[in-house]
Amino acid sequence: MAVLFAALGKNPITALSVYFVEPLTDSYSLVELAVKATPLVMIAVGLSLCYLANVWNIGAEGQFLIGAVCGSWLAVRTQGADAGAWVLPAMLMLGPSAARFTRSFRRSQKYVSARARFSPA
């Protein structure tokens, strides 16, 4: 990457400092970093439990996105309708249930698991 910046006529040290040091110097940047990293850490913890159980799960990021879309759908659908305090708990239940549905749907389509494909015959 430093070679690319040097080829463009920019100082590579300054460019790398902007990418790697600047986000750690501002409190707003640290908060944004935590916002972006928290879901990825949750996915990593879930995957580590799967791997410890000797089960392969290669769709964690997709399940996360489907859950986020379905949970957000309820918030958008009830916006401005004086829905009440039940919306947030319903979003928190709708997201994981939608992700669970996609996982069971993939199984019902007779997908071959990664473990079965890579296990010795």
Side-chain angles (χ1 to χ4, degrees):
M1 186 155 83
V3 175
L4 178 66
F5 286 120
L8 292 172
K10 305 294 181 187
N11 184 2
I13 302 300
T14 305
L16 293 174
S17 171
V18 167
Y19 278 116
F20 296 113
V21 176
E22 293 283 327
L24 302 176
T25 59
D26 185 18
S27 63
Y28 178 77
S29 299
L30 287 173
V31 169
E32 288 298 312
L33 186 65
V35 166
K36 301 280 193 259
T38 300
L40 297 175
V41 170
M42 290 171 47
I43 289 170
V45 169
L47 286 176
S48 67
L49 292 175
C50 289
Y51 292 143
L52 285 175
N54 206 13
V55 175
W56 289 86
N57 183 1
I58 57 174
E61 290 85 6
Q63 291 172 354
F64 170 71
L65 290 175
I66 290 294
V69 166
C70 290
S72 317
W73 171 82
L74 184 62
V76 169
R77 193 75 174 150
T78 58
Q79 181 207 9
D82 290 334
W86 63 271
V87 175
L88 183 60
M91 286 173 56
L92 293 175
M93 291 187 322
L94 185 63
S97 63
R100 175 74 176 153
F101 174 74
T102 59
R103 191 176 91 182
S104 62
F105 177 74
R106 282 196 318 254
R107 283 187 184 163
S108 69
Q109 297 297 319
K110 297 190 178 16
Y111 280 90
V112 178
S113 70
R115 183 175 178 193
R117 278 189 279 160
F118 295 114
S119 65

Short mmCIF file of all heavy atoms in Angstrom, two decimals, residues 8-34:
data_model
loop_
_atom_site.label_atom_id
_atom_site.label_comp_id
_atom_site.label_asym_id
_atom_site.label_seq_id
_atom_site.Cartn_x
_atom_site.Cartn_y
_atom_site.Cartn_z
N LEU A 8 1.68 7.62 -6.35
CA LEU A 8 0.75 8.73 -6.56
C LEU A 8 1.34 10.07 -6.12
O LEU A 8 0.69 11.11 -6.24
CB LEU A 8 -0.54 8.48 -5.80
CG LEU A 8 -1.40 7.33 -6.32
CD1 LEU A 8 -2.56 7.06 -5.36
CD2 LEU A 8 -1.93 7.65 -7.70
N GLY A 9 2.56 10.04 -5.58
CA GLY A 9 3.21 11.28 -5.16
C GLY A 9 2.84 11.74 -3.77
O GLY A 9 3.06 12.90 -3.42
N LYS A 10 2.25 10.86 -2.97
CA LYS A 10 1.87 11.21 -1.60
C LYS A 10 2.86 10.58 -0.63
O LYS A 10 3.48 9.56 -0.91
CB LYS A 10 0.46 10.70 -1.28
CG LYS A 10 -0.59 11.17 -2.24
CD LYS A 10 -0.79 12.66 -2.15
CE LYS A 10 -1.88 13.10 -3.11
NZ LYS A 10 -2.01 14.52 -3.19
N ASN A 11 2.96 11.18 0.54
CA ASN A 11 3.84 10.65 1.56
C ASN A 11 3.20 9.40 2.17
O ASN A 11 2.13 9.48 2.77
CB ASN A 11 4.08 11.70 2.65
CG ASN A 11 5.06 11.25 3.70
OD1 ASN A 11 5.61 10.15 3.63
ND2 ASN A 11 5.28 12.10 4.68
N PRO A 12 3.84 8.22 2.04
CA PRO A 12 3.23 6.98 2.56
C PRO A 12 3.07 6.98 4.07
O PRO A 12 2.10 6.44 4.59
CB PRO A 12 4.18 5.88 2.12
CG PRO A 12 5.08 6.48 1.11
CD PRO A 12 5.05 7.95 1.31
N ILE A 13 3.98 7.59 4.79
CA ILE A 13 3.89 7.61 6.26
C ILE A 13 2.67 8.43 6.70
O ILE A 13 1.93 8.02 7.60
CB ILE A 13 5.20 8.18 6.86
CG1 ILE A 13 6.41 7.35 6.42
CG2 ILE A 13 5.10 8.26 8.38
CD1 ILE A 13 6.34 5.89 6.84
N THR A 14 2.44 9.56 6.06
CA THR A 14 1.28 10.38 6.39
C THR A 14 -0.01 9.65 6.05
O THR A 14 -0.97 9.67 6.83
CB THR A 14 1.34 11.71 5.62
OG1 THR A 14 2.58 12.35 5.90
CG2 THR A 14 0.19 12.60 6.01
N ALA A 15 -0.04 8.98 4.91
CA ALA A 15 -1.24 8.24 4.51
C ALA A 15 -1.54 7.10 5.48
O ALA A 15 -2.69 6.90 5.89
CB ALA A 15 -1.06 7.70 3.10
N LEU A 16 -0.52 6.35 5.86
CA LEU A 16 -0.74 5.26 6.81
C LEU A 16 -1.13 5.79 8.18
O LEU A 16 -1.92 5.16 8.89
CB LEU A 16 0.50 4.38 6.89
CG LEU A 16 0.81 3.59 5.61
CD1 LEU A 16 2.14 2.86 5.74
CD2 LEU A 16 -0.30 2.61 5.31
N SER A 17 -0.61 6.95 8.55
CA SER A 17 -1.00 7.57 9.81
C SER A 17 -2.48 7.95 9.80
O SER A 17 -3.19 7.77 10.80
CB SER A 17 -0.14 8.80 10.07
OG SER A 17 -0.63 9.52 11.17
N VAL A 18 -2.96 8.45 8.66
CA VAL A 18 -4.38 8.82 8.55
C VAL A 18 -5.26 7.58 8.70
O VAL A 18 -6.32 7.62 9.33
CB VAL A 18 -4.64 9.54 7.21
CG1 VAL A 18 -6.13 9.63 6.93
CG2 VAL A 18 -4.01 10.91 7.21
N TYR A 19 -4.83 6.45 8.15
CA TYR A 19 -5.64 5.23 8.20
C TYR A 19 -5.59 4.53 9.56
O TYR A 19 -6.60 3.99 10.01
CB TYR A 19 -5.18 4.24 7.13
CG TYR A 19 -5.74 4.53 5.77
CD1 TYR A 19 -4.89 4.86 4.73
CD2 TYR A 19 -7.09 4.46 5.52
CE1 TYR A 19 -5.39 5.13 3.47
CE2 TYR A 19 -7.60 4.74 4.28
CZ TYR A 19 -6.74 5.06 3.25
OH TYR A 19 -7.25 5.34 2.02
N PHE A 20 -4.42 4.52 10.20
CA PHE A 20 -4.26 3.68 11.38
C PHE A 20 -4.12 4.44 12.70
O PHE A 20 -4.42 3.88 13.75
CB PHE A 20 -3.05 2.76 11.21
CG PHE A 20 -3.23 1.78 10.08
CD1 PHE A 20 -2.45 1.87 8.94
CD2 PHE A 20 -4.18 0.79 10.14
CE1 PHE A 20 -2.61 0.98 7.90
CE2 PHE A 20 -4.36 -0.10 9.11
CZ PHE A 20 -3.57 0.00 7.98
N VAL A 21 -3.66 5.68 12.69
CA VAL A 21 -3.43 6.41 13.94
C VAL A 21 -4.56 7.40 14.22
O VAL A 21 -5.05 7.47 15.35
CB VAL A 21 -2.07 7.12 13.90
CG1 VAL A 21 -1.85 7.95 15.16
CG2 VAL A 21 -0.95 6.10 13.74
N GLU A 22 -4.98 8.15 13.22
CA GLU A 22 -6.01 9.17 13.40
C GLU A 22 -7.31 8.63 14.00
O GLU A 22 -7.89 9.28 14.87
CB GLU A 22 -6.31 9.87 12.07
CG GLU A 22 -5.18 10.70 11.53
CD GLU A 22 -5.03 12.02 12.25
OE1 GLU A 22 -6.07 12.57 12.68
OE2 GLU A 22 -3.90 12.48 12.38
N PRO A 23 -7.81 7.46 13.59
CA PRO A 23 -9.06 6.98 14.20
C PRO A 23 -8.95 6.69 15.69
O PRO A 23 -9.96 6.60 16.37
CB PRO A 23 -9.36 5.69 13.43
CG PRO A 23 -8.66 5.86 12.14
CD PRO A 23 -7.44 6.65 12.44
N LEU A 24 -7.75 6.56 16.22
CA LEU A 24 -7.58 6.24 17.63
C LEU A 24 -7.34 7.48 18.49
O LEU A 24 -7.15 7.36 19.69
CB LEU A 24 -6.42 5.26 17.80
CG LEU A 24 -6.58 3.93 17.04
CD1 LEU A 24 -5.34 3.10 17.20
CD2 LEU A 24 -7.80 3.19 17.52
N THR A 25 -7.32 8.67 17.88
CA THR A 25 -7.01 9.87 18.63
C THR A 25 -8.23 10.70 19.01
O THR A 25 -8.13 11.57 19.86
CB THR A 25 -6.05 10.76 17.82
OG1 THR A 25 -6.67 11.10 16.58
CG2 THR A 25 -4.73 10.06 17.56
N ASP A 26 -9.37 10.44 18.41
CA ASP A 26 -10.57 11.24 18.63
C ASP A 26 -11.63 10.38 19.32
O ASP A 26 -11.79 9.21 18.99
CB ASP A 26 -11.09 11.74 17.28
CG ASP A 26 -12.26 12.68 17.41
OD1 ASP A 26 -12.46 13.23 18.51
OD2 ASP A 26 -12.97 12.87 16.41
N SER A 27 -12.34 10.94 20.29
CA SER A 27 -13.34 10.16 21.01
C SER A 27 -14.50 9.76 20.09
O SER A 27 -15.04 8.66 20.20
CB SER A 27 -13.87 10.93 22.22
OG SER A 27 -14.52 12.11 21.79
N TYR A 28 -14.90 10.64 19.17
CA TYR A 28 -15.96 10.29 18.23
C TYR A 28 -15.54 9.11 17.35
O TYR A 28 -16.33 8.22 17.08
CB TYR A 28 -16.31 11.50 17.36
CG TYR A 28 -17.36 11.21 16.32
CD1 TYR A 28 -18.70 11.12 16.68
CD2 TYR A 28 -17.01 11.00 15.00
CE1 TYR A 28 -19.66 10.84 15.74
CE2 TYR A 28 -17.97 10.72 14.04
CZ TYR A 28 -19.29 10.64 14.42
OH TYR A 28 -20.25 10.34 13.48
N SER A 29 -14.30 9.12 16.90
CA SER A 29 -13.81 8.02 16.07
C SER A 29 -13.77 6.71 16.84
O SER A 29 -14.05 5.65 16.28
CB SER A 29 -12.41 8.35 15.55
OG SER A 29 -12.43 9.50 14.76
N LEU A 30 -13.42 6.77 18.12
CA LEU A 30 -13.41 5.55 18.94
C LEU A 30 -14.81 4.99 19.10
O LEU A 30 -15.01 3.77 19.05
CB LEU A 30 -12.78 5.83 20.30
CG LEU A 30 -11.27 6.03 20.33
CD1 LEU A 30 -10.82 6.46 21.71
CD2 LEU A 30 -10.57 4.76 19.91
N VAL A 31 -15.79 5.86 19.27
CA VAL A 31 -17.18 5.41 19.38
C VAL A 31 -17.63 4.77 18.08
O VAL A 31 -18.26 3.70 18.07
CB VAL A 31 -18.10 6.58 19.79
CG1 VAL A 31 -19.56 6.19 19.66
CG2 VAL A 31 -17.79 7.02 21.20
N GLU A 32 -17.32 5.39 16.96
CA GLU A 32 -17.69 4.82 15.66
C GLU A 32 -16.99 3.49 15.41
O GLU A 32 -17.58 2.57 14.84
CB GLU A 32 -17.36 5.80 14.53
CG GLU A 32 -18.28 6.99 14.49
CD GLU A 32 -19.72 6.59 14.23
OE1 GLU A 32 -19.98 5.80 13.31
OE2 GLU A 32 -20.60 7.06 14.97
N LEU A 33 -15.75 3.38 15.85
CA LEU A 33 -15.03 2.12 15.73
C LEU A 33 -15.71 1.02 16.55
O LEU A 33 -15.86 -0.11 16.08
CB LEU A 33 -13.58 2.31 16.18
CG LEU A 33 -12.63 1.15 16.01
CD1 LEU A 33 -12.43 0.84 14.54
CD2 LEU A 33 -11.30 1.47 16.65
N ALA A 34 -16.16 1.37 17.75
CA ALA A 34 -16.87 0.40 18.59
C ALA A 34 -18.21 0.01 17.96
O ALA A 34 -18.61 -1.16 18.03
CB ALA A 34 -17.08 0.97 19.99
#
